[in-house]
Amino acid sequence: MQHEVGYDNDSDPMTGVYVESADIDIGDGDQFAFVKKIIPDMAFTVDPTVSNTPAMNIVLKRRNYPGDALVTDSTSQITQTTRFNNVRTRGRQMVLRFESDDDAAALDQKGYKWRLGATRLDIQPSGRR
């Protein structure tokens, strides 16, 4: 028996797929952090029989205090040629969510796999104002 073989959900695209990080903070959350750039480490494997443009979304969320609800600050599309995305957000804790681009054209949602590597953030301490 073969299980999870191929690129798609039978003949349908793989939608609603995501991976979400734990909270990211500076100094155990004692300081606010300012994030201005995301440098993704994503690799796409494309089905050679399909002509498409694979893409994923990186969603940057933040919160200022433990127990607060996460607030989505930005959603950036990542393709095979994306080197970085400029963002601007400030908070005590950040969360990154890597998700399927369910808004893409139907053809672009099928025929590829992705691999997540070591994504980097340009992050620095920020004032408490």
Side-chain angles (χ1 to χ4, degrees):
M1 174 179 206
Q2 290 185 333
H3 184 58
E4 296 180 6
V5 176
Y7 297 90
D8 302 313
N9 181 14
D10 289 329
S11 61
D12 297 327
M14 296 289 288
T15 57
V17 177
Y18 70 91
V19 175
E20 189 167 279
S21 75
D23 292 338
I24 301 165
D25 56 28
I26 295 179
D28 293 330
D30 292 335
Q31 293 181 304
F32 279 83
F34 178 69
V35 178
K36 57 184 176 180
K37 187 182 288 187
I38 299 173
I39 303 171
D41 184 5
M42 303 267 315
F44 294 93
T45 304
V46 180
D47 182 349
T49 64
V50 177
S51 177
N52 64 358
T53 306
M56 296 292 293
N57 290 329
I58 294 181
V59 180
L60 179 61
K61 303 177 183 182
R62 65 162 172 84
R63 76 172 120 226
N64 290 333
Y65 298 98
D68 283 358
L70 286 167
V71 176
T72 299
D73 270 349
S74 71
T75 301
S76 306
Q77 187 184 62
I78 304 300
T79 64
Q80 293 175 308
T81 59
T82 302
R83 295 180 57 193
F84 63 88
N85 285 92
N86 290 315
V87 295
R88 292 181 59 88
T89 192
R90 179 182 172 276
R92 286 186 197 269
Q93 296 173 316
M94 310 290 170
V95 171
L96 287 176
R97 180 181 173 120
F98 301 86
E99 63 184 21
S100 56
D101 187 2
D102 295 343
D103 295 331
L107 176 64
D108 290 339
Q109 291 183 25
K110 297 174 66 176
Y112 69 93
K113 302 177 192 179
W114 54 273
R115 181 220 22 105
L116 179 61
T119 296
R120 294 162 181 85
L121 298 175
D122 187 350
I123 188 169
Q124 64 189 33
S126 181
R128 293 182 185 255
R129 294 188 277 173

